[in-house]
Amino acid sequence: MPKLIKDGAIIENTWELIAKPEGDAAEVAVPAGHVIVPLSVWIAQKAQLQTRNDVGVWLDSDEFAEDIGEEANRFPVIGVNFPGFMDGRAFSTARLLRERYGFTGEVRAVGNFIRDQLCYLRRCGVNAFAFANPEADLEVALKSLADFSEYYQASVDQPLPLFRRRA
Amino acid sequence: MYIYDEYDNSILRQRVAQFRDQTERFLAGSLPPEQFLPLRLQNGLYVQRLAPMLRINVPYGMLNSTQIRKLAHIARHYDKGYVHVSTRQNIQFNWPDLTEVPDILSELADVGMHGTQSSGNCIRNTTSDQFAGVAEDEIVDPRPYCEIIRQWSSFHPEFAFLPRKFKIAVTGSEKDRAAVQVHDIGLQIILKDSGEIGFKVYVGGGLGRTPVIGSVIREFLPEEDLLPYLEAILRVYNLSGRRDNKYKARIKILVRALTPEVFAQKVEAEWENTKDGYSKLTRAEIERAKSFFTEPAYETIDNAAAQAAVDAQAAESVAFSKWLQRNVRGHRVPGYAAVTLSLKPTGVAPGDITDSQLEIIANLADEFSFGEARTTHEQNIVLADVKKSDLFTLWQKSKAAGFATPNIGTITDIICCPGGDFCSLANAKSIPIAEAIQRQFDDLDYVYDLGDIDLNISGCMNACGHHHVGHIGILGVDKAGKEFYQVQLGGSASNDASLGDVLGPSFGAEVMPDVIQKLVNVYVENRTAEELFIDTYRRIGATPFKERVYAKAN
C-alpha cells in the first residue's frame, strides 16, 4: 500500500483518490471504503454520498474553498490538488478551509507539489502530504517540514504574527 | 536603520541552510533543474547569458557601512570585482559561481543581508524614496512601514508561488520618488489633519509588456490595517490571477479584467473577514518599527552660517558649484544636506560600482553620513545626512573616487538595464547606447540648460530600464536578428505618472545620439522659460518631434 506523510509521520495511505471524470460526474462509480472524490462528483452525487462517513473530497487548483464553505466539516479529509508545483492557489485554499471555514479534519496536499514546499504548506494548514510521484522519498521529505522554526507572519499553525510575540 | 534581532537572524540562518541543501541536491542530481529553478530564484539566483546573476535585496535602499564593505568583499572574492545597482534598489553580482552561492548568502547573513525573494513569482523587495527621513517635502517617513512589509512578505507561506512577480513601493513625500503608480501595489502615505496616518492604495500598475498606471482602490487605509489589507489583495490575486499565460499573469491584467471597482470590492470583501484578526498592526509594533528610524545624532547648526560658507566655497570653484547644483539637495534638518553620488560617469555602465569604490563609499558614509548610505531606483547612491560644512571635503573625495559627475537628474543620469551585454532576456544592448548618448551630451552647461530630463533605456520589453516612464524612453528591439531602438516620449514615474507614446519606427544604434539630439533641439526651440522637456512635450504633442526626427534629407 502506498504511504504518505501525515502529522509529521509516514503512514499507510488508506484513502483512494478518485480521478476527475472526463464525462458526466453523476455517472462515476464511487466504490465502497475510504474514497476522496472530485468536487464535481460530490456535487453530482451528494444525495447518495452524504449518508457515508468514509467519503472525502478534493479541490482542483481552479476550485475554491468557498465551493465547499460551511459544509467543510462534514468531510474527514479534503484534498487540495497541485497540477504543477508552481500553481500556488492551494496554499490559499488550505488556509481558507482552516481559518475561514473552521475545518478541523485532514487537509491533504495531492498531486505534483514538491518537498521544498512542505514547510509552507504545513503553515497554511496542510497536515497530510500524498505525493503523486511514487518515487518521492518520504524520509527526506519529512525533514523539510522543519526548514523553518520561526516565522514573521500569522499562519494556521502559529496564528500570532511575530510582532505580537516579540519580547 | 533596522537592526536584525535574534528572530530575524534565526530565520535568515535557516533560510541559508535550506538553500545550501537545495543547491547540494541540485548539484548531486537529486533535485531536478525545473524544481531548483524557482527555489534558486527565490534566493536571488538567476542563470544569465554569461554566468549566474545573484540579486541581493536592499530593503528600501538602506545600507550601513558594514554591509557595504561586505558587498565589496564578496565582489572581490567571489565575483569579478564589481556590482550593479538595480532599479529596485538592489545590488547584483554578475559572475558568481553557483557552487559558492550558499557561502555568499551565508556571508551576507552575517551582516543581515540576503537574496530572499529578490526574484521569482513572489513578493519582491519593497522599495521607497531614497530621501526617506530627510526630505524637506516628507509628510511621514515611509521606512518603518517598508520594514513592516519586509517582514510580513518574507517567507510568506501563502504567497511564495504567485501567478507572477509582485512589487510594492511606498512613498511618504509630496513628490513621489518611489514610482508608486507603476507598481503592483503602490502605497502613498497620507497624514490627516486629525493626525491619523494611513495609505492611499494604488494597485495594478506596472511596466513590462503591458504597461499600466495603477488604479486607486482605497483613498485611505488606516495604518493598523496595512497587513490584513495587503494580504487581502494578495489572496484575491493568488486565487484569481491568470496562470494560463505568463504575459497575462500580473495583477494589472486581473485588475483591468475585473475593473478596479470590482477588484476593490473583492479585496474589501476578503478583508472584511480578516481585518480585526491578529495581523492587524498594534500600536506597539508601529512604534517599534519607528524606533529604528529615529534621527541620528544631528548637531545643532546655524544653517545660514553653514550655507554662507558653502556659497563662498562655491564662488571659488565652478566645479564644486556645479556639483552642489545637481548632486546636493536640501535636508529637513538645518545645516545638513543630502548628497547623491553619481554612478553615471560617461563610459561606465550606469549603476556599476567596483569593489574598491564600495569601500570608499563605506568610508565616506562613516566619515560624513552616520555610517549609512542608500541605493536609489535611478541607480545612484545617496549619503543622506551630510553636514554642509563637510560638503567641500566630501566633494573632493568623491571626485577622486569617480562619484562626483555633476549630472543627477539630467539627460546623462540615465536609467539603464544591463541589456544584451549581460541579460539573457534582452533583445538589444543598452549600455553602449547610454554611453553614446552621454558622449553626445558632454557639454555640462548645455546639459544644465536642458534641465531635468529622465532618459530611460531598456534592452527588451520587460522594461527593467523603465523606458515607459522616461520623459524620453528607449526600447531595444530585435528585427530579424539585428538590434534596433524604439523611442517613446512623454513618460513619467512621478505624481503625474504617465506612459510614453511611441514616436514611430525604430532606429539603428549608430543614429541614436543624433535622434536624441534632434528631440532635444525641438524642445529647446519650443520651450517657454519655465518648461521642462516633459512639460513642452505635453503641451505641443508628438508631431513636431516626429517631423524633425523622421524628416527626409533633401
Side-chain angles (χ1 to χ4, degrees):
Chain A
M1 188 170 276
K3 294 182 185 296
L4 83 165
I5 292 172
K6 185 179 173 186
D7 296 330
I10 298 168
I11 61 165
E12 300 287 330
N13 181 6
T14 61
W15 290 84
E16 181 185 354
L17 191 81
I18 307 295
K20 253 187 184 175
E22 288 181 9
D24 189 351
E27 302 296 318
V28 172
V30 179
H34 289 146
V35 286
I36 305 175
V37 303
L39 179 66
S40 59
V41 170
W42 167 258
I43 291 170
Q45 304 189 29
K46 191 171 169 183
Q48 307 90 284
L49 296 177
Q50 66 183 351
T51 59
R52 290 174 54 176
N53 60 8
D54 56 357
V55 174
V57 68
W58 65 272
L59 300 175
D60 211 342
S61 62
D62 58 352
E63 294 165 339
F64 302 105
E66 67 194 55
D67 295 337
I68 295 177
E70 306 298 336
E71 272 197 312
N73 270 317
R74 71 156 55 233
F75 300 105
V77 52
I78 300 176
V80 290
N81 185 46
F82 283 80
F85 76 101
M86 291 291 286
D87 186 341
R89 287 175 281 192
F91 290 89
S92 289
T93 302
R95 238 191 125 166
L96 288 169
L97 286 170
R98 294 289 192 208
E99 293 179 341
R100 184 138 323 149
Y101 301 110
F103 179 59
T104 55
E106 175 183 327
V107 176
R108 174 181 293 206
V110 301
N112 297 300
F113 60 94
I114 62 173
R115 162 191 161 177
D116 303 90
Q117 295 174 310
L118 257 56
C119 190
Y120 285 175
L121 280 166
R122 178 177 53 80
R123 293 180 61 198
C124 288
V126 176
N127 68 318
F129 305 91
F131 289 88
N133 176 9
E135 294 176 8
D137 185 336
L138 301 189
E139 294 286 349
V140 283
L142 260 183
K143 289 196 287 186
S144 292
L145 281 171
D147 278 351
F148 290 92
S149 57
E150 191 50 87
Y151 324 107
Y152 287 117
Q153 322 76 5
S155 59
V156 173
D157 59 351
Q158 177 46 279
L160 289 176
L162 182 57
F163 70 77
R164 288 180 185 267
R165 292 181 283 117
R166 260 184 168 122
Chain B
M1 69 187 282
Y2 184 75
I3 305 295
Y4 278 26
D5 65 8
E6 75 265 31
Y7 290 103
D8 299 285
N9 282 319
S10 138
I11 292 168
L12 194 45
R13 287 285 161 208
Q14 291 186 332
R15 173 61 152 198
V16 173
Q18 181 193 43
F19 185 65
R20 188 180 294 281
D21 175 64
Q22 289 164 341
T23 304
E24 284 167 2
R25 283 155 52 207
F26 169 71
L27 292 170
S30 65
L31 181 61
E34 68 276 13
Q35 292 182 12
F36 185 55
L37 173 91
L39 305 177
R40 66 169 163 74
L41 288 177
Q42 292 209 7
N43 286 278
L45 184 61
Y46 274 82
V47 172
Q48 283 291 24
R49 172 154 291 176
L50 303 168
M53 183 272 279
L54 184 64
R55 182 180 292 148
I56 303 306
N57 286 318
V58 183
Y60 39 94
M62 294 288 295
L63 287 167
N64 63 37
S65 54
T66 305
Q67 293 172 326
I68 298 168
R69 289 193 182 94
K70 180 62 86 173
L71 293 169
H73 163 78
I74 290 167
R76 186 174 295 140
H77 289 273
Y78 296 95
D79 210 288
K80 292 194 178 180
Y82 68 98
V83 302
H84 176 75
V85 177
S86 85
T87 53
R88 288 205 66 65
Q89 301 183 287
N90 288 330
I91 295 285
Q92 298 181 172
F93 293 102
N94 279 304
W95 310 90
D97 187 322
L98 169 62
T99 59
E100 293 185 330
V101 169
D103 293 335
I104 295 173
L105 293 177
S106 179
E107 289 220 27
L108 286 167
D110 292 342
V111 296
M113 296 190 78
H114 52 78
T116 298
Q117 296 171 203
S118 65
S119 299
N121 294 343
C122 51
I123 305 171
R124 303 286 188 88
N125 184 39
T126 295
T127 54
S128 189
D129 178 358
Q130 65 266 28
F131 299 111
V134 304
E136 291 169 301
D137 66 340
E138 186 164 278
I139 298 161
V140 175
D141 187 345
R143 294 171 300 172
Y145 303 98
C146 292
E147 176 56 28
I148 286 169
I149 295 170
R150 181 195 73 78
Q151 296 191 20
W152 163 79
S153 61
S154 296
F155 316 106
H156 198 298
E158 188 179 343
F159 305 129
F161 295 88
L162 294 168
R164 283 279 272 143
K165 59 186 170 183
F166 202 92
K167 299 175 178 179
I168 302 174
V170 189
T171 180
S173 288
E174 281 174 22
K175 179 170 162 55
D176 173 15
R177 285 175 291 266
V180 299
Q181 294 182 58
V182 288
H183 278 77
D184 294 292
I185 295 177
L187 299 170
Q188 180 187 340
I189 302 180
I190 308 276
L191 175 63
K192 285 188 171 176
D193 292 340
S194 60
E196 198 186 351
I197 292 173
F199 305 93
K200 186 174 189 174
V201 182
Y202 293 89
V203 68
L207 302 177
R209 188 176 292 244
T210 313
V212 181
I213 301 294
S215 305
V216 177
I217 62 163
R218 199 163 226 283
E219 289 290 345
F220 187 82
L221 177 75
E223 57 180 337
E224 293 87 355
D225 294 312
L226 176 62
L227 298 184
Y229 198 82
L230 292 180
E231 204 145 278
I233 294 172
L234 265 297
R235 185 171 285 164
V236 169
Y237 171 56
N238 189 36
L239 285 169
S240 304
R242 286 183 64 169
R243 287 174 183 269
D244 58 323
N245 180 338
K246 71 176 278 196
Y247 301 117
K248 295 184 175 177
R250 296 288 295 268
I251 194 172
K252 60 195 171 190
I253 304 293
L254 177 66
V255 172
R256 287 216 299 197
L258 292 172
T259 74
E261 293 72 27
V262 171
F263 181 83
Q265 285 165 16
K266 284 180 176 288
V267 170
E268 298 277 327
E270 184 62 37
W271 180 45
E272 196 56 43
N273 290 298
T274 58
K275 62 193 295 185
D276 295 317
Y278 290 130
S279 294
K280 186 168 185 159
L281 286 168
T282 57
R283 201 64 246 158
E285 173 62 4
I286 293 170
E287 293 307 322
R288 191 187 87 89
K290 288 187 174 179
S291 73
F292 290 99
F293 301 96
T294 50
E295 289 198 350
Y298 291 125
E299 294 171 26
T300 304
I301 294 170
D302 177 345
N303 188 55
Q307 188 59 48
V310 170
D311 291 344
Q313 289 165 324
E316 300 271 305
S317 164
V318 175
F320 178 59
S321 81
K322 285 178 174 172
W323 181 76
L324 285 177
Q325 189 186 332
R326 293 309 317 192
N327 296 35
V328 178
R329 53 181 285 136
H331 195 291
R332 60 176 184 76
V333 176
Y336 284 83
V339 172
T340 303
L341 303 179
S342 173
L343 304 183
K344 314 288 181 65
T346 299
V348 171
D352 277 9
I353 327 177
T354 68
D355 52 350
S356 46
Q357 283 183 315
L358 281 166
E359 282 164 348
I360 291 167
I361 291 171
N363 293 343
L364 294 176
D366 280 340
E367 190 175 353
F368 298 109
S369 196
F370 300 100
E372 289 178 359
R374 294 122 180 255
T375 50
T376 82
H377 99 264
E378 292 92 0
Q379 302 174 296
N380 293 305
I381 297 279
V382 162
L383 298 178
D385 295 297
V386 180
K387 276 194 289 187
K388 285 184 177 173
S389 57
D390 285 336
L391 285 172
F392 192 79
T393 315
L394 172 58
W395 170 65
Q396 289 178 311
K397 292 190 174 186
S398 60
K399 194 161 177 270
F403 299 130
T405 309
N407 65 345
I408 301 304
T410 71
I411 194 166
T412 63
D413 183 12
I414 297 170
I415 291 179
C416 180
C417 73
D421 292 299
F422 295 98
C423 178
S424 54
L425 300 173
N427 291 318
K429 292 187 175 64
S430 47
I431 294 169
I433 301 300
E435 181 177 342
I437 293 168
Q438 286 173 326
R439 292 196 189 287
Q440 177 74 23
F441 294 89
D442 63 350
D443 175 347
L444 269 180
D445 289 327
Y446 175 65
V447 165
Y448 291 164
D449 176 63
L450 299 177
D452 286 1
I453 297 181
D454 291 346
L455 194 155
N456 299 355
I457 307 177
S458 300
C460 77
M461 67 173 84
N462 290 301
C464 295
H466 297 184
H467 64 277
H468 297 110
V469 288
H471 302 159
I472 300 173
I474 297 174
L475 167 65
V477 293
D478 174 275
K479 282 193 202 168
K482 286 192 70 179
E483 297 182 359
F484 287 86
Y485 296 87
Q486 189 189 76
V487 174
Q488 304 185 0
L489 297 181
S492 165
S494 194
N495 304 61
D496 57 352
S498 59
L499 302 170
D501 310 311
V502 177
L503 191 63
S506 56
F507 306 94
E510 68 288 352
V511 301
M512 283 307 291
D514 183 50
V515 167
I516 303 304
Q517 184 65 62
K518 284 175 177 165
L519 296 172
V520 165
N521 291 347
V522 172
Y523 157 62
V524 170
E525 291 160 21
N526 286 275
R527 67 179 169 185
T528 65
E530 296 300 315
E531 277 183 338
L532 294 177
F533 181 92
I534 180 77
D535 305 321
T536 302
Y537 175 78
R538 284 174 174 165
R539 178 171 56 81
I540 69 177
T543 306
F545 294 92
K546 271 187 204 172
E547 284 173 351
R548 182 73 54 91
V549 167
Y550 295 107
K552 291 267 185 290
N554 49 10

